[in-house]
Amino acid sequence: RRVHGESFLYCLMKLPCLTWRLCACALVTIFTQCRISEAQDTRSWYRQISGRINVNDRMYPAVCDCSGKFFNLTSACGPSRINIKPLQYGHERFTAHDLKLHLGDVGDLKAVDVTLESFSCIDGRSSDEILGTPGGDAQEFIHALIAYQEIGRTNYPIWIMDVKRYLSRYLNGTQRGTVVPGGGGKKRYRYMYYHTDYAAVERLRKFMNEPNLDITNPAPHIPREVLLSAVSQPEHVGCRHIRRLLSKSNPDSVTSMTELFLQAMYQILWDKSTPLYKRIKHVILAARPELEQKALVHIRSSNLCLAAGYAFPFPPYQDDVSLYIQHPNAALSLREDLANYFHDLANPKDDAKVPDLKKRSYELAREAMEAFIIEKGEKLPIYAVTIE
């Protein structure tokens, strides 16, 4: 973990080689970082921490005593204002002023750690406070899987058992588990979000001739192979973004990886003999055909909040107003997480570098958003919101 000193001046006092006159006139930047294991997590270990100080582009050794109060990045990320910039005015009557009123008072917003939160779809039918990205966690994993196939596993086919293994290991916390401070080594896991809707589930029930089908826990008499094939058909997928990946207009690699992911995910979800199914947040949204989203809103945090790993969730649907909510900058953390994960899986001969995997995932996410904007047309207002 990173340990930040209590006070800028307190650390300076530990430098006998510098005078206060020099410190007063110099441009000073301190960077101290150390890693301490959980077993060493006591205040006594925060004393005599070696570091470096940059004074007028010259580096000096430093020893800091950081055993006092710690710098709280969460409080430093406290929002003070909301900036709204129109990107596309559209034809809908939902102005920047309407959006400002809808977002509410800046003091009511709360910052969350993006490494501990799931990413939901930008779909405007949920009333939960979310961090949004097209297709949610599921689509980001699919994008990373496609990048891995193209870059990290070029000489070997990927089968359903491979995808199930990748997803199981990922859900098991090899990459996603985060140690809870003061929790005795316990980990907190963020769920993998996937959503469908009631209309798609009803079509699936009709196809399977099972009016009472529970898609999350099908009855034993239902043939699993038939159901597995059915859940990966476009008409039975309630998320428009993942459904788009199943379109025949896409390359075979895109559609095949999407089908394999859906089948692997449902296999894990249906297997109640292991706890992995509990880490899939399977959501069935109401169809709400009459609901029209008023705008697409890109929510960004300030540079300080982003550096600290915090973002501001927001409910897409509240007060009878529905919005598409996206957190483009916060989603970069998830893509980096996935890129690191698939880099570890890659064959060394394929030389799958993390930046290449992340770049490809970003390209796929950008293409998804561009396709969505084209689908919605010019009538949809688009706003960029920065919370500072």
Side-chain angles (χ1 to χ4, degrees), residues 38 41 179-187:
E38 288 300 311
D41 194 4
V179 175
V180 178
K186 293 183 179 180
K187 288 186 176 182

Side-chain angles (χ1 to χ4, degrees), residues 9 15 39 58 63 73 111 125 135 142 164 237 323:
L9 292 178
L15 302 175
R58 294 188 63 181
V63 178
L73 286 173
R125 290 176 285 179
I142 294 170
K164 185 179 179 181
V237 175
L323 304 172

Side-chain angles (χ1 to χ4, degrees), residues 57-289:
D57 296 326
R58 294 188 63 181
M59 301 302 300
Y60 297 88
V63 178
C64 293
D65 183 346
C66 300
S67 59
K69 294 181 180 180
F70 296 100
F71 177 63
N72 190 336
L73 286 173
T74 308
S75 61
C77 190
S80 60
R81 61 178 178 175
I82 300 176
N83 291 326
I84 300 176
K85 179 181 179 182
L87 301 180
Q88 176 175 294
Y89 287 99
H91 303 315
E92 298 288 345
R93 292 190 175 182
F94 191 78
T95 65
H97 179 69
D98 295 329
L99 178 58
K100 184 176 181 179
L101 294 176
H102 188 71
L103 293 174
D105 185 76
V106 66
D108 294 334
L109 299 178
K110 66 175 183 179
V112 298
D113 186 341
V114 298
T115 65
L116 299 177
E117 300 296 326
S118 299
F119 278 80
S120 301
C121 184
I122 66 173
D123 194 295
R125 290 176 285 179
S126 173
S127 57
D128 296 331
E129 289 189 342
I130 68 162
L131 297 179
T133 189
D137 290 318
Q139 181 152 314
E140 292 290 349
F141 191 95
I142 294 170
H143 288 166
L145 181 63
I146 294 169
Y148 173 62
Q149 182 204 33
E150 295 176 352
I151 301 172
R153 190 157 170 163
T154 56
N155 298 320
Y156 307 93
I158 295 179
W159 307 100
I160 177 65
M161 67 283 290
D162 298 315
V163 178
K164 185 179 179 181
R165 185 174 69 254
Y166 304 156
L167 183 55
S168 295
R169 177 183 165 187
Y170 192 64
L171 293 173
N172 200 39
T174 303
Q175 298 292 324
R176 298 177 77 98
T178 302
V179 175
V180 178
K186 293 183 179 180
K187 288 186 176 182
R188 172 183 172 184
Y189 299 90
R190 63 183 180 189
Y191 301 99
M192 172 166 282
Y193 175 96
Y194 171 81
H195 89 81
T196 184
D197 64 14
Y198 281 108
V201 171
E202 284 302 314
R203 288 192 292 269
L204 178 62
R205 287 169 174 166
K206 184 176 181 180
F207 175 82
M208 296 295 298
N209 195 26
E210 293 285 345
N212 297 318
L213 170 66
D214 180 356
I215 188 60
T216 65
N217 189 23
H221 73 273
I222 298 176
R224 293 298 175 94
E225 291 301 320
V226 177
L227 185 57
L228 270 180
S229 176
V231 294
S232 59
Q233 299 304 308
E235 61 270 23
H236 302 146
V237 175
C239 174
R240 71 166 72 216
H241 305 281
I242 294 179
R243 188 166 59 243
R244 187 182 293 112
L245 293 177
L246 293 168
S247 170
K248 294 181 179 180
S249 61
N250 291 310
D252 290 341
S253 60
V254 173
T255 56
S256 63
M257 288 302 101
T258 305
E259 289 175 355
L260 290 178
F261 168 83
L262 290 172
Q263 293 172 11
M265 182 199 67
Y266 274 108
Q267 281 186 340
I268 295 171
L269 185 64
W270 297 338
D271 184 2
K272 309 304 182 184
S273 65
T274 72
L276 285 183
Y277 76 93
K278 297 179 181 179
R279 295 180 190 154
I280 297 175
K281 187 176 181 179
H282 187 282
V283 177
I284 302 177
L285 296 176
R288 292 184 179 175

